[in-house]
Amino acid sequence: MRRIRANAIAILTVAWILGTFYYLWQDSKPQSAAASSSSSASQTRRGHGQKAAVPGRLEIIHRDDRTIPLIVSLGSFDEKSYLSAKQLKPGDDPYREHAFNLQESDRLGGERAIRDTRHYRCAALNYDADLPSTSIIITFHNEARSTLLRTIKSVLMRSPPSLIQEIILIDDFSSDPEDCQLLTQIPKVRCLRNGRREGLIRSRVRGASSASASILTFLDSHCEVNADWLQPMIQRVKEDHTRVVSPIIDVISLDNFAYLAASADLRGGFDWSLHFKWEQIPIEQKMARNDPTQPIRTPVIAGGIFVMDKSWFNHLGQYDTHMDIWGGENFELSFRVWMCGGSLEILPCSRVGHVFRKRHPYDFPEGNALTYIKNTRRAAEVWMDEYKQYYYSARPSAQGKAFGSITDRLTLRRKLNCKPFRWYMENVYPELRVPEQEAVSSVLKQGGLCLETRGTDGLGLAECRGIGGSRPQSQVRILPLGGDSGSHKLSLLKWKPKGPALQHMVSGLCLDSQTPTGPLVISQCRPQMASQSWEPQIIT
Ligand code: LR7
Ligand code: MN
């Protein structure tokens, strides 16, 4: 009996020891394929304890038919000393210099794994095997070394090497030339340094002019590109060189540098002060989207991260190089692309993270406000035709501010035979409401008849045409709003409801049809009369 018990204990002990060994062995084994398919490709690649890149070494893993570098060759570049040369001193405010938490960024170092934030169906898409290569263009002014290096390394780590022709850095007169210069020890990285501060617009033009690939890819200097970010964009541009495409821009927290997925239902929009904003895709388009991998048409792009055919970029006039430092160039480019025969889209299967900040960490030699006004005024004056009046109403301080000569850009617009802004409003961004349009965006019904703005005067406003003020029997006409006369007419265009009638606020008279086929008039308000009774019906 005692013997049997001793034997049982011995067997259990051996089993326990074997079990422990098996457990430890399992734990040190690489992640199984099943486990990694639900995590990101980048995480899988980084999940095996390869902490930092080994200079001079390049490993390739094979995924389907694509090859993505597992460890990036950094050539003779010494990452450790590059990063440690600029350290935050104890007691320094980590936000002061870059408007993000530098301590957190530095702690992450030159690379890290990020979550693959794409829709799961994106991973199954295939791209041409012979996609053309691209020149990556990154302009920066006093960027933190850790964010800049992560931008570059993420590109090298998460792009098929054959697609990266070169990475062109434009150092926009940063205080330390070595920030840029040292990075040229990394294979494919080139550095152009401006002799004076130019701003991001002229810097990008300089970078684009020296690019050797047929496709241009622009990035901000504090990005991290995600798995397979590049192929969808190059594919779309290869299929149609007039497309200008951008990724979904994920958010890298400025506080803790967490990588957060952005909504896939957004597109670029703006208000009349030319303030960029993300907005929901219009509901009809959203309902019609049954494939979440399909491109999203966008009225404007955020500006910093996009892919464009180089000949198309040059053909369309690159950028307006009289714009300074920061701001407005994304509107100018977006209007130009749409109005001159191209299109803009966001590709949901391409994701790039960007550190969004709350303030500019750098100075504007002419001041932030004046620079933004100058740049947006140029965009409005060249591209917005009669609609520029809404820009001036929304931004009255822009009036009278200097914006330089726009002759060259107007000549360009004529030479390219671009469509009017009205076309853009009607076909690309009909959701952008013209101020005071509410009254005319609905049909006024009376009996079985409708009062409607005319087709091409769709943006026209009803107005009383009075001789010496508005008198009874003055005819009501719908006038196109435009040219210089537009703004003062607006003050005459105020109507308010009076029961079922519409009262003209200036004259106090009411809209009256009198005879069903005759011209509309204004007359003494008698809201109970059928000829003055209007029923608004919103057009959808
Ligand atoms: O004088 C300068 N010289 C530069 O080289 C000023 C800036 N820069 C560099 C800068 O280092 C950075 O790499 O230009 C790039 C953009 O400047 P940011 O990062 O300060 O600008 P932002 O991210 O706030 O600005 C967005 O709008 C800008 C309008 O001019 C540009 O189009 C930016 O590229 C654009 N960024 C993005 O679209 C990323 C997504 C953000 C959004 C929305
Ligand atoms: Mn930025």
Side-chain angles (χ1 to χ4, degrees), residues 368-392:
N368 177 350
L370 274 185
T371 305
Y372 200 70
I373 282 173
K374 176 185 173 183
N375 294 354
T376 51
R377 255 201 103 165
R378 292 184 67 84
E381 287 288 337
V382 175
W383 296 101
M384 289 172 72
D385 303 330
E386 69 270 24
Y387 292 82
K388 70 185 180 196
Q389 65 181 302
Y390 303 124
Y391 161 77
Y392 289 114

Side-chain angles (χ1 to χ4, degrees), residues 29-40 44 48:
K29 227 172 62 166
Q31 282 177 317
S32 71
S36 65
S37 69
S38 62
S39 69
S40 77
T44 312
H48 308 182

Side-chain angles (χ1 to χ4, degrees), residues 41 81 95 169 228 251 258 316 327 333 412 438 442 465 490 497 504:
S81 69
Y95 290 84
L169 305 176
D228 295 342
V251 176
L316 284 188
L333 178 75
L412 170 81
E438 301 318 331
S442 61
R465 250 274 238 261
L490 273 173
H504 182 231

Side-chain angles (χ1 to χ4, degrees), residues 139-141 143 172 197 199-200 203-204 220-222 249 276 278 302-305 325-330 354 356-357 360-362:
T139 173
F140 70 95
H141 175 72
E143 183 60 69
D172 190 13
R197 179 88 175 279
L200 71 92
S203 300
R204 280 188 197 153
D220 271 13
S221 47
H222 31 256
I249 303 174
F276 176 86
W278 297 106
I305 308 174
I325 307 296
W326 179 98
E329 92 294 339
N330 54 329
H354 169 261
F356 287 80
R357 294 180 286 207
H360 299 288
Y362 40 76

Side-chain angles (χ1 to χ4, degrees), residues 452-463:
E452 211 174 342
T453 53
R454 287 179 216 135
T456 52
D457 297 341
L459 297 150
L461 296 172
E463 180 190 300

